[in-house]
Amino acid sequence: MNFEPYPFEKLNDLLQNIIPNADYEPSVLTIGEPQFDTPEFIQESLANNAYLLKKYPKTGGEEVLRDAIRGFVKSRFDVEIDNSELIPTFGTREVLFNFPQFLLSDKSESVMAYTNPFYQIYEGAAIATNSKVIHLNLNADNNFKPEIDEEKLATCDLVILNFPNNPTNSMLSVEEMAQWVKLALKHDFVLMNDECYSEIYTDKKVPSILEASKLAGNDSFKNVLVINSISKRSSAPGLRSGFIAGDKEILKEYMKYRTYVGCASPLPLQYAAATAWSDEEHVSASREIYKNNFVIAKEILGTEIPEATFYIWLKVDNALEFTKKLFEKYNVKVLPGEFLARENFNGENPGVGYVRIALVENEEKTRDALNRIKECLGE
């Protein structure tokens, strides 16, 4: 298998011969990793349940974790799911890589479609399954929303959406997602929405594909799946707690597959994750921090405050040159957009001319870094 280097590897190569300006403290705004301590009550739960390391965890997850996730889905999206419609997972990255292998294993000429730019694990799964790829290109002309081409979608086995979107911070309304649900039923493809940023919204709550499925009259979630994670929500990427929910017929067989994968979460992590999924107060506090960072960005860079995520998708003349200049003169790292996307059939990469900025620091560090970026843009 010939996998592409990860965007961060490409960034390291781009900057490897550059010595950054030592007059500035380093500022790394490349990775979507919250730079805040995991809340104390979650850490305490982990410590208090460390004694459970002596036990093997269940592949399907403990009931305490399942109940917490189902409670989260109910309280957050007003959607009831039962145990047959849910699998707790070891984060979502492993699901995004192994679920396509499970789903497409008996397809001789499988076809995957996913948003472009994208989280690179989507591409890794396509390579691992030897699937043909259809890129759903996101650009300014389509307001960073995937265009619908039914002729192409009719050939798909799996379509992966990612809204709220990384890296463009665009959103789909529940009505727009319901349209995709109807297409999944019409053309019989599996539709998955990666909702890992659903809880990092700035004003109104953002919808889930599960709500859209209900709106479309698809109460059984046929062909519809959602994945979500605690990483951004609770500043706890190290807990590796996620879930996949939706079509119980698909999940029944996927659960069998997972017993062979060996990715069960350790019990102390499951109990700590259950504690985190069950609490909303700490998430509200984090949202205020991220929203304030967007307010600062609007003040300094003039960027609009998006509906969700903690990313700025900043337009620049030449992303590669800007990234090198910013690092060399101002000791700030950002990620060129072309590293997060691939060329379309016209040879156009929708990430060209953009950099992704992750606003995951506190107010002081965020303001300092954005002022440096502004200076660099003004040169």
Side-chain angles (χ1 to χ4, degrees):
M1 297 181 192
N2 185 22
F3 294 106
E4 279 274 338
Y6 243 58
F8 308 110
E9 296 176 54
K10 293 181 179 180
L11 180 65
N12 289 339
D13 289 342
L14 180 70
L15 303 179
Q16 65 178 339
N17 296 320
I18 297 175
I19 299 174
N21 187 344
D23 291 339
Y24 294 99
E25 287 290 322
S27 180
V28 180
L29 307 179
T30 55
I31 189 168
E33 180 182 71
Q35 297 301 296
F36 308 103
D37 288 341
T38 303
E40 282 289 335
F41 75 96
I42 300 175
Q43 296 187 48
E44 288 172 4
S45 176
L46 179 63
N48 291 340
N49 289 287
Y51 73 95
L52 291 171
L53 286 170
K54 65 182 181 181
K55 294 178 176 290
Y56 281 112
K58 298 175 185 174
T59 301
E62 298 298 307
E63 285 306 309
V64 64
L65 178 57
R66 284 178 160 272
D67 289 346
I69 293 172
R70 290 169 60 216
F72 161 74
V73 173
K74 172 60 179 174
S75 63
R76 175 62 176 81
F77 303 110
D78 196 25
V79 173
E80 296 268 8
I81 55 173
D82 63 35
N83 266 328
S84 65
E85 296 168 329
L86 168 71
I87 300 175
T89 61
F90 199 60
T92 55
R93 182 172 174 173
E94 57 101 344
V95 179
L96 286 164
F97 189 65
N98 68 44
F99 177 80
Q101 294 177 62
F102 152 76
L103 184 73
L104 306 176
S105 61
D106 60 350
K107 305 279 186 181
S108 58
E109 296 181 350
S110 57
V111 180
M112 284 179 60
Y114 46 80
T115 45
N116 182 36
F118 52 83
Y119 178 32
Q120 193 158 316
I121 206 71
Y122 306 165
E123 180 181 74
I127 293 169
T129 55
N130 198 30
S131 294
K132 176 185 174 182
V133 173
I134 296 172
H135 288 129
L136 305 173
N137 298 299
L138 310 179
N139 52 55
D141 291 339
N142 57 31
N143 201 26
F144 302 103
K145 297 184 179 186
E147 298 174 6
I148 292 172
D149 183 332
E150 289 204 45
E151 186 176 342
K152 290 182 179 179
L153 289 174
T155 69
C156 289
D157 300 294
L158 173 63
V159 174
I160 302 177
L161 301 180
N162 170 216
F163 293 96
N165 185 254
N166 166 24
T168 71
N169 68 43
S170 62
M171 267 299 306
L172 291 185
S173 68
V174 68
E175 292 81 10
E176 288 171 321
M177 283 197 283
Q179 187 177 10
W180 280 92
V181 171
K182 292 175 182 177
L183 289 167
L185 296 173
K186 179 180 179 180
H187 298 295
D188 196 26
F189 59 78
V190 174
L191 176 66
M192 174 185 285
N193 193 31
D194 178 353
E195 298 182 7
C196 287
Y197 293 89
S198 70
E199 303 314 288
I200 312 299
Y201 54 84
T202 55
D203 185 15
K204 298 178 181 177
K205 293 179 179 180
V206 300
S208 169
I209 198 77
L210 297 179
E211 294 173 90
S213 188
K214 293 281 189 179
L215 181 63
N218 184 23
D219 291 345
S220 67
F221 311 118
K222 178 176 171 54
N223 286 11
V224 173
L225 296 166
V226 61
I227 61 168
N228 210 329
S229 165
I230 213 165
S231 299
K232 323 298 182 183
R233 178 184 185 273
S234 299
S235 301
L239 272 183
R240 309 311 303 140
S241 178
F243 67 84
I244 181 170
D247 188 324
K248 65 183 178 182
E249 298 303 323
I250 295 174
L251 293 183
K252 179 181 178 182
E253 297 305 313
Y254 181 49
M255 186 64 235
K256 293 179 186 176
Y257 168 88
R258 290 183 64 80
T259 61
Y260 291 89
V261 174
C263 52
S265 176
L267 290 174
L269 272 66
Q270 289 195 48
Y271 278 83
T275 302
W277 282 114
S278 300
D279 182 81
E280 185 61 27
E281 186 175 344
H282 75 287
V283 190
S284 297
S286 295
R287 271 195 293 269
E288 288 304 310
I289 294 172
Y290 296 128
K291 181 178 180 178
N292 187 54
N293 284 348
F294 279 127
V295 171
I296 294 169
K298 183 175 184 178
E299 170 196 329
I300 295 173
L301 300 179
T303 52
E304 292 300 315
I305 297 175
E307 292 182 66
T309 81
F310 43 52
Y311 295 117
I312 293 176
W313 190 234
L314 185 67
K315 189 85 172 80
V316 294
D317 290 333
N318 183 315
L320 298 180
E321 292 305 314
F322 177 78
T323 298
K324 291 191 289 184
K325 179 181 176 182
L326 181 65
F327 181 57
E328 181 176 16
K329 299 190 70 173
Y330 296 95
N331 209 348
V332 177
K333 284 185 179 181
V334 294
L335 194 61
E338 52 236 74
F339 292 173
L340 296 163
R342 298 292 180 264
E343 290 185 356
N344 61 21
F345 61 91
N346 290 325
E348 301 166 335
N349 182 319
V352 167
Y354 291 89
V355 293
R356 190 186 77 175
I357 303 171
L359 299 183
V360 292
E361 291 281 7
N362 63 33
E363 179 175 345
E364 181 182 359
K365 290 183 178 180
T366 296
R367 187 176 292 277
D368 175 57
L370 292 177
N371 276 320
R372 292 189 232 170
I373 291 172
K374 182 179 180 179
E375 286 188 47
C376 191
L377 287 168
E379 291 183 357

